Amino acid sequence: MRQFDVLIMGSGLAGMTIALKLADKLKVGLVTKRALRDGGSGWAQGGIAAVLDDADSIELHIRDTFVAGAGLCDAKATRFIIENSRDAIDWLIEMGVPFTRDDSGDTNYHGYHLTREGGHSHRRIIHAADATGAAVIDTLAKKVAAHPGITVLEDHIALDLITGRKLGLDDDRCWGAYVYDKTNDRVETFVAGHTVLATGGAGKVYLYTTNPDVATGDGIAMGWRAGCSVSNMEFIQFHPTCLYHPHAKSFLITEAVRGEGGILKLPDGTRFMPQHDERAELAPRDVVARAIDFEMKKGGYDCVYLDISYKPASFIKEHFPNIYQRCLELGIDITREPIPVVPAAHYTCGGLVVDLSGRTDVAGLYAVGEAACTGLHGANRLASNSLLECMVIGKATAEDILATPPDTIPNVPEWDESQVTDPDEEVVIAHNWDELRRFMWDYVGIVRTNKRLERALHRIELLQHEINDYYTNFRVGNDLIELRNLVTTAQLIVQSAMARKESRGLHYSRDYPGMLPEATPTVLKP
């Protein structure tokens, strides 16, 4: 058994922010499924949205967020996060993040270049070329690894939260988690006065996704099992432009390519976005993804094309060096030809219900980042608002933890696996994993119907029975833990989608194509 003041699950921007803001005063344990830098935040390309230019304003950023979120954004959360955006960026600059500089024009912040993305009325995206997430995570990871107050536990995956209810106590407070050590193949007991879920999203519940392999909805599923409410899980953002190539696994083509003039075309070269929305390529992601999906199904195309080759080659190489290099490796010269793209599951807008300090329904348990739902994203996340949310709510969470002395930690039993045996057939896990991701893509994708959702829920219930039986009788491993969490998360997505009798934002139903006059969140309680 190991004890920490604060136990954080997840090493993306949310987890690292909280760890760094607490480690001078508290003993922090940072659990990460793979290596420290392997979370989803490092995959972010475009940048971070913030009100930095004097010509911009908090009110404009709030308005853009509400428009993209189809009116479902929580007003209080949206204002709080955007009002604190400049402080968050200044903190990253202070940490040493190498944002792209540009002293040539007016569209900059203290010499840093600002770009524009779909849904934004102003240039307000500060970025590090086209690999912002990697630049931010690399910078913070060095500080996390060097800090004596932070114990980094790589190749560990949380199995379940330890709560008073599970211990047979009167209170239902969270006291840490049982964590599987992949290297030593054993379950360890980590106790803490405060526990944080910063585990990211659930993109791997779908067959095609821009997310890393670790995005299996772990925090959402664990929080749900521990007694947390979830909200708005039906709103899964499909990024319109994922590179379409047999050897390009989950490679995203950033929103900023369209922000800087990229044009979407059919295979015959016809531009199609103006026929779908007056904002054309700069429409919010849900609009663009549905338009691409419509054109692909209408024409029977495998993909569409994003063309920025009419821009000078020097401009493309300067603004999108990583995309240029990756495409070139695959035989695509984006300075001379368009990029083949398809939509792919990208971001989980819903999650565990939290307040503006990251607190969940369960005392002692916090959730931050993509695993949480503050209400900022509403029915559709505005581009580059996600990393901002990680930092602002992460800071508020750290402040709340420092202001809330924990109670005495009770006696917690070690993990008991005396009644289970080694798995007999691992193929069961592999088969169920593949089946889940395929029917979620077919039935709970960009366009939904009642019949598709009913079919998906029926299959989920069958899988849950098999997986729970497997979990009860055999020793756990990484794949079983992730599959169990994915199935739980899939059920929450489908049940939320079935509860929404309208089309709004990312949730589009053929049975309910209209939008209801009042925007209300979907909340599921255990």
Side-chain angles (χ1 to χ4, degrees):
M1 184 180 297
R2 302 183 68 171
Q3 182 169 338
F4 300 96
D5 296 319
V6 183
L7 179 65
I8 302 171
M9 262 77 77
S11 62
L13 180 54
M16 286 191 187
T17 296
I18 298 167
L20 288 170
K21 289 183 178 293
L22 290 175
D24 288 343
K25 297 181 179 179
L26 298 176
K27 181 182 178 183
V28 177
L30 186 65
V31 173
T32 184
K33 286 165 72 170
R34 293 190 180 177
L36 179 61
R37 291 171 167 84
D38 282 347
S41 298
W43 288 44
Q45 293 180 351
I48 306 171
V51 179
L52 303 172
D53 189 346
D54 291 339
D56 196 7
S57 73
I58 288 170
E59 299 305 324
L60 283 174
H61 192 171
I62 290 172
R63 186 195 69 184
D64 292 345
T65 301
F66 262 84
V67 170
L72 194 60
C73 306
D74 181 88
K76 186 177 179 182
T78 303
R79 180 169 293 279
F80 175 75
I81 291 166
I82 291 172
E83 283 181 343
N84 285 280
S85 62
R86 183 173 296 202
D87 287 344
I89 298 302
D90 287 343
W91 179 69
L92 287 181
I93 292 172
E94 181 185 328
M95 290 291 103
V97 175
F99 290 116
T100 297
R101 302 194 70 92
D102 177 17
D103 298 311
S104 62
D106 296 329
T107 55
N108 64 56
Y109 175 63
H110 297 322
Y112 292 102
H113 181 262
L114 302 178
T115 190
R116 183 181 175 190
E117 295 180 345
H120 289 274
S121 60
H122 202 88
R123 283 183 175 266
R124 63 168 68 101
I125 316 300
I126 191 167
H127 61 102
D130 61 347
T132 306
V136 171
I137 292 302
D138 286 348
T139 301
L140 298 188
K142 293 173 185 175
K143 296 185 178 296
V144 166
H147 202 294
I150 303 173
T151 301
V152 178
L153 298 142
E154 295 184 321
D155 293 314
H156 283 66
I157 176 172
L159 180 60
D160 254 330
L161 297 168
I162 300 167
T163 62
R165 181 174 57 185
K166 292 180 181 177
L167 299 176
L169 303 176
D170 292 336
D171 72 277
D172 200 22
R173 186 181 179 88
C174 182
W175 296 107
Y178 292 112
V179 178
Y180 176 65
D181 176 352
K182 292 193 278 186
T183 303
N184 297 301
D185 189 25
R186 67 186 182 194
V187 178
E188 299 177 336
T189 307
F190 293 169
V191 295
H194 303 282
T195 303
V196 181
L197 297 172
T199 52
K204 295 299 285 188
V205 78
Y206 286 98
L207 184 61
Y208 301 111
T209 177
T210 64
N211 291 182
D213 290 340
V214 295
T216 51
D218 303 322
I220 296 170
M222 283 191 295
W224 173 257
R225 291 194 294 267
C228 297
S229 301
V230 299
S231 182
N232 293 345
M233 285 297 295
E234 68 270 37
F235 299 117
I236 302 296
Q237 187 174 73
F238 289 81
H239 197 287
T241 54
C242 184
L243 179 62
Y244 179 74
H245 192 281
H247 303 302
K249 181 183 177 183
S250 304
F251 189 74
L252 176 69
I253 305 299
T254 174
E255 197 94 9
V257 173
R258 286 183 283 122
E260 294 294 341
I263 296 171
L264 285 164
K265 298 179 177 179
L266 300 177
D268 65 2
T270 303
R271 186 184 185 189
F272 60 87
M273 275 309 302
Q275 283 74 54
H276 291 270
D277 193 281
E278 62 183 12
R279 294 164 291 186
E281 282 78 11
L282 289 178
R285 289 175 176 175
D286 60 324
V287 176
V288 180
R290 274 200 302 275
I292 294 174
D293 183 68
F294 174 84
E295 295 292 347
M296 287 174 58
K297 287 175 178 173
K298 177 184 174 185
Y301 308 129
D302 292 329
C303 65
V304 296
Y305 293 85
L306 180 59
D307 191 3
I308 198 168
S309 63
Y310 69 91
K311 292 272 192 177
S314 58
F315 174 90
I316 294 171
K317 293 176 183 178
E318 178 187 353
H319 283 77
F320 309 110
N322 292 283
I323 293 174
Y324 170 75
Q325 189 58 45
R326 179 61 177 140
C327 288
L328 202 61
E329 292 170 359
L330 297 168
I332 304 166
D333 184 350
I334 69 173
T335 66
R336 297 174 179 270
E337 57 190 316
I339 309 166
V341 294
V342 292
H346 182 59
Y347 191 86
T348 309
C349 288
L352 301 173
V353 175
V354 297
D355 64 12
L356 297 184
S357 295
R359 289 177 294 209
T360 69
D361 298 335
V362 176
L365 180 64
Y366 299 80
V368 185
E370 200 171 347
C373 182
T374 62
L376 169 68
H377 306 307
N380 179 25
R381 176 179 69 95
L382 181 64
S384 293
N385 267 354
S386 51
L387 295 183
L388 173 64
E389 181 186 41
C390 288
M391 290 186 292
V392 174
I393 302 299
K395 178 186 176 185
T397 295
E399 291 172 348
D400 191 76
I401 289 172
L402 290 171
T404 312
D407 296 331
T408 302
I409 297 175
N411 292 325
V412 175
E414 297 281 1
W415 181 259
D416 181 12
E417 55 180 27
S418 61
Q419 305 300 313
V420 297
T421 61
D422 290 325
D424 53 359
E425 291 186 339
E426 297 280 359
V427 70
V428 174
I429 296 176
H431 174 80
N432 287 351
W433 181 292
D434 184 63
E435 181 184 349
L436 173 70
R437 297 181 68 208
R438 287 185 180 278
F439 73 63
M440 284 296 289
W441 181 261
D442 290 338
Y443 298 148
V444 200
I446 295 172
V447 177
R448 301 162 179 174
T449 67
N450 289 342
K451 182 62 70 177
R452 290 176 185 176
L453 294 175
E454 289 167 3
R455 287 171 177 161
L457 186 60
H458 176 67
R459 282 161 174 77
I460 286 169
E461 289 169 349
L462 293 175
L463 286 182
Q464 280 184 322
H465 179 75
E466 283 189 19
I467 293 164
N468 288 337
D469 182 65
Y470 202 91
Y471 180 81
T472 302
N473 292 292
F474 299 112
R475 288 192 177 90
V476 298
N478 181 80
D479 291 348
L480 175 59
I481 294 169
E482 290 187 329
L483 177 61
R484 179 175 177 240
N485 291 333
L486 273 177
V487 171
T488 298
T489 305
Q491 182 184 30
L492 294 172
I493 293 170
V494 173
Q495 288 179 335
S496 297
M498 294 176 80
R500 186 164 292 278
K501 309 299 184 184
E502 63 168 348
S503 289
R504 183 182 296 274
L506 300 165
H507 175 74
Y508 185 81
S509 170
R510 284 184 178 168
D511 295 299
Y512 309 103
M515 187 185 297
L516 294 176
E518 184 179 355
T520 56
T522 303
V523 179
L524 302 180
K525 295 182 179 293

